[in-house]
């Protein structure tokens, strides 16, 4: 029997791959290098392809969700599968795995938000935020790129980072403008070399940095580096809070907790390198093969479909896989899978470890960081909201968790007259509305308890403590994935609502369909509820969530 497993040190460049995969890789590489959405002509030129050739490949890459096309501008950018591959690559890094539990404990200890930032092509990039208590509402999110000069995180990277990597980041940030967190429109005088060196020396001596009222007024932060066993900077750990709530004293409790968390993460990093990451659950749902309906009917590159099956299988597994297991998960012979994997290694979308297992590669990480930065719940949800309203002939609302609670940010109204006391900006009760309960079902007890104190300011909110029936209702919502409301808060009006998750499993949005109570379905398995769930699952996948 022929053995299709090859040794881990076999060089992929010496092996025969799939030419179409490598041509498609040129388009992905162009997106990674340019780090912004590109139109067809610009992207084709950057990849040294004709416009017609690039379009054919982009049809397949869009169908596979490696890229996505903006419905308004028509520009291409890294898609949901690129996001998930990049996250998978980051999440398997020893430094990330070693630091994450300490970051979670730190957030709980100080009661503030804690961000993990790794080096990206444009600069230090947030890849995880742990919230201690109620989330801080500031324009920072997974994917935010931090200014090297005006943020504590950026200055920690300047003080401790690799000089060559820092030079590349600084060059990239020179023209990035307000794409950076902490960007100042009124440019401050550049400090002379001596002053900058003194500042960096002071950060190195303290081992910690702070920023007050930056990157947002009223928000302050403290940041520490996390090193590997050789003293090389791996990531930064940043505590962020309102300037009134965070003690930024060099010897204060936040600084002490930060230093302790960084020491523990650095100490455990060596051990983490010897421990295999936990295997993903066997029942993880497969990512849908096509997230862009406009690409389905167009002619693409057939060979890329098999490539996509392998990538989807790897992402669904959530861990590195050897050739035999990866091919089996993609339902194809190893002999067929291997040439695709050779080419995926060549272009950098996949890498192979010493054990011979395939994982996300450097191109996947670069695309993933860009995709994280570009994720916009309101922008990405817009086509789904409009399509839902058209398909159901009912009103559709989207809400996010704002400073006062679940807040409506988009309302597509039905052509049918409806008396609905709902508008953009309405804050919904966590107890007495389907939208609010959908958010509440995804909250920890301490966060929910803190938010319930402000129930009276919300639509249909009343100052009544939650009881056993309410908690049973939340459990039922988690099980069904949807919640219903009838004749409340508005008589004669019914609602079905479902959450949209991001890659961490946190609820980013709740989408609700609203109509007359008369004849409105009441079961989670009804056609209306399933239509809503299909839309929210597509959006969740766009945000990197591949859970069941």
């Amino acid at each position: 029997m022929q053995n299709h497993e090859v040794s881990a040190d076999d060089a992929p460049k010496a092996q025969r791959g799939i030419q179409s995969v490598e041509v498609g890789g040129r388009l992905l590489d162009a997106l990674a290098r340019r780090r912004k959405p590109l139109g067809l002509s610009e992207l084709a030129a950057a990849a040294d392809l004709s416009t017609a050739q690039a379009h054919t490949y982009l049809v397949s890459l869009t169908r596979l969700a490696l890229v996505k096309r903006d419905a308004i501008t028509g520009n291409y950018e890294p898609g949901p599968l690129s996001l998930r591959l990049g996250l998978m690559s980051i999440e398997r890094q020893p430094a990330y795995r070693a630091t994450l539990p300490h970051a979670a404990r730190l957030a709980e200890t100080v009661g503030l938000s804690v961000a993990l930032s790794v080096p990206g092509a444009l600069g230090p990039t947030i890849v995880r935020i742990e919230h201690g208590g109620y989330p801080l509402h500031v324009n920072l999110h997974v994917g935010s790129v931090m200014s090297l000069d005006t943020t504590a995180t950026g200055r920690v990277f300047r003080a401790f980072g690799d000089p060559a990597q820092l030079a590349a980041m600084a060059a990239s940030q020179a023209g990035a403008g307000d794409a950076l967190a902490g960007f100042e429109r009124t440019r401050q005088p550049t400090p002379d070399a001596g002053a900058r060196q003194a500042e960096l020396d002071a950060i190195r001596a303290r081992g910690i940095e702070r920023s007050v009222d930056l990157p947002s007024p009223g928000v302050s932060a403290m940041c520490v580096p996390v090193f590997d066993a050789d003293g090389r900077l791996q990531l930064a750990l940043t505590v962020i809070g309102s300037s009134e709530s965070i003690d930024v004293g060099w010897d204060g409790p936040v600084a002490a907790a930060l230093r302790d968390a960084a020491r523990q993460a650095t100490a455990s990093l060596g051990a983490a390198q010897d421990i295999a990451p936990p295997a993903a659950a066997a029942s993880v749902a497969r990512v849908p093969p096509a997230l862009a309906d406009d690409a389905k009917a167009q002619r693409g590159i057939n060979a890329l479909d098999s490539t996509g099956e392998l990538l989807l299988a790897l992402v669904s597994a959530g861990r590195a896989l050897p050739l035999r297991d990866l091919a089996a998960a993609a339902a194809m012979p190893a002999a067929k899978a291997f040439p695709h994997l050779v080419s995926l290694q060549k272009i950098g979308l996949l890498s192979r470890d010493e054990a011979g297992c395939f994982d996300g590669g450097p191109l996947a990480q670069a695309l993933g960081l860009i995709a994280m930065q570009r994720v916009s719940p309101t922008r990405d949800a817009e086509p789904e909201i409009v399509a839902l309203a058209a398909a159901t002939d009912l009103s559709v609302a989207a809400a996010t968790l704002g400073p006062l609670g679940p807040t409506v940010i988009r309302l597509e109204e039905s052509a049918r007259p409806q008396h609905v006391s709902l508008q953009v900006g309405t804050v919904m009760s966590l107890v007495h509305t389907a939208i609010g309960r959908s958010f509440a079902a995804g909250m920890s007890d301490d966060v929910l308890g803190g938010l319930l104190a402000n129930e009276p300011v919300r639509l249909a909110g009343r100052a009544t403590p939650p009881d056993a029936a309410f908690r049973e209702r939340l459990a039922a919502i988690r099980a069904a994935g949807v919640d219903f409301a009838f004749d409340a808060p508005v008589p004669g009006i019914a609602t079905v609502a479902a959450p949209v998750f991001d890659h961490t499993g946190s609820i980013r949005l709740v989408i609700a369909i609203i109509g007359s109570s008369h004849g409105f379905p009441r079961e989670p398995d009804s056609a209306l509820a399933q239509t809503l769930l299909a839309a929210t699952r597509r959006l969740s996948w766009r945000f990197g969530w591949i859970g069941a």
Side-chain angles (χ1 to χ4, degrees), residues 87-471:
L87 286 168
M88 181 177 170
S89 176
I90 292 166
E91 290 165 357
R92 284 181 50 80
Q93 291 180 3
Y96 180 93
R97 300 202 312 269
T99 305
L100 185 57
H102 300 293
R105 284 195 291 271
L106 175 62
E108 184 177 353
T109 298
V110 299
L112 299 166
S113 296
V114 176
L116 278 73
S117 301
V118 302
L122 190 56
T125 304
I126 296 177
V127 294
R128 181 84 178 199
I129 299 179
E130 293 289 330
H131 295 292
Y134 188 55
L136 176 69
H137 289 278
V138 63
N139 191 26
L140 285 178
H141 52 81
V142 170
S144 290
V145 180
M146 312 304 288
S147 166
L148 288 168
D149 297 317
T150 62
T151 67
T153 303
R155 291 193 294 273
V156 162
F157 270 83
R158 273 208 184 273
F160 298 101
D162 174 73
Q165 192 175 55
L166 283 168
M169 288 183 189
S172 297
Q173 292 200 356
D178 55 9
L180 303 175
F183 170 71
E184 294 181 328
R185 293 188 178 277
T186 304
R187 191 167 182 83
Q188 301 298 316
T190 302
D192 60 51
R196 170 166 285 181
Q197 187 60 48
E199 179 186 55
L200 296 180
D201 287 343
I203 295 171
R204 295 184 187 109
R206 289 191 304 264
I208 190 169
E209 177 59 334
R210 66 187 176 194
S211 60
V212 179
D213 293 325
L214 280 175
S216 300
V219 176
S220 298
M222 299 197 82
C223 179
V224 293
V226 174
F227 302 101
D228 64 12
D230 297 319
R232 293 173 298 198
L233 178 67
Q234 298 297 300
L235 53 81
L237 203 54
T238 308
V239 172
I240 308 166
S242 68
S243 297
E244 295 178 351
S245 65
I246 182 172
D247 181 344
V248 293
W250 297 125
D251 299 314
V254 173
L258 252 177
R259 289 188 175 105
D260 187 53
R263 279 194 296 267
Q264 292 180 48
T266 297
S268 60
L269 182 51
Q273 291 176 342
D274 299 327
I275 300 173
S283 60
V284 172
R286 288 292 297 275
V287 177
L291 295 178
D293 292 338
D294 63 343
K296 290 181 182 178
Q298 302 180 53
R299 186 176 68 86
I301 305 297
N302 292 335
L304 288 179
D305 291 338
S306 295
T307 305
E309 285 299 313
L310 290 163
L311 294 174
L312 294 174
L314 183 63
V315 165
S316 296
R319 58 189 175 91
L321 293 175
L323 171 60
R324 184 183 295 107
D325 293 350
L326 182 52
M332 69 176 66
K336 179 181 178 182
F338 184 67
H340 291 269
L341 295 171
V342 168
S343 290
L344 287 169
Q345 283 182 272
K346 282 184 181 180
I347 65 175
L349 204 57
L350 294 186
S351 61
R352 203 173 192 195
D353 62 23
E354 294 179 356
C357 294
F358 292 93
D359 198 357
L363 178 58
Q365 182 168 331
L367 291 169
L369 289 172
I370 295 168
M372 277 189 274
Q373 186 182 2
R374 292 284 303 167
V375 165
S376 170
T378 51
R379 184 183 67 235
D380 288 341
E382 180 67 16
E384 292 286 359
I385 292 169
V386 173
L388 270 177
T392 62
D393 199 20
L394 298 170
S395 296
V396 178
T400 190
L401 192 61
L404 296 177
T407 305
V408 176
I409 58 171
R410 177 72 169 88
L411 179 62
E412 182 75 7
E413 296 190 75
S414 167
R416 301 178 184 178
Q418 291 179 350
H419 176 65
V420 181
S421 56
L422 195 68
Q423 59 186 0
V424 171
T426 300
V427 182
M428 312 297 288
S429 166
L430 285 159
V431 180
H432 302 292
T433 67
I435 289 175
R437 287 191 298 267
S438 295
F439 274 107
M443 293 177 182
S444 62
D445 289 342
D446 57 336
V447 172
L448 179 58
L451 284 171
L452 288 175
N454 294 322
E455 264 293 277
V457 305
R458 304 180 183 117
L459 178 66
R462 297 188 291 275
T464 54
D467 54 16
F470 176 62
R471 300 195 181 281

Side-chain angles (χ1 to χ4, degrees), residues 19-20 22-24 26-27 40 43-45 47-61 76 299-301 304:
Q19 184 180 7
S20 58
E22 293 165 29
V23 174
R26 286 156 59 182
L27 291 162
L40 175 59
L43 183 51
D48 196 23
L49 298 171
S50 69
T51 302
Q53 188 180 16
H55 178 264
T56 303
Y57 277 88
L58 286 167
V59 167
S60 287
L61 293 174
Y76 294 91
R299 186 176 68 86
I301 305 297
L304 288 179

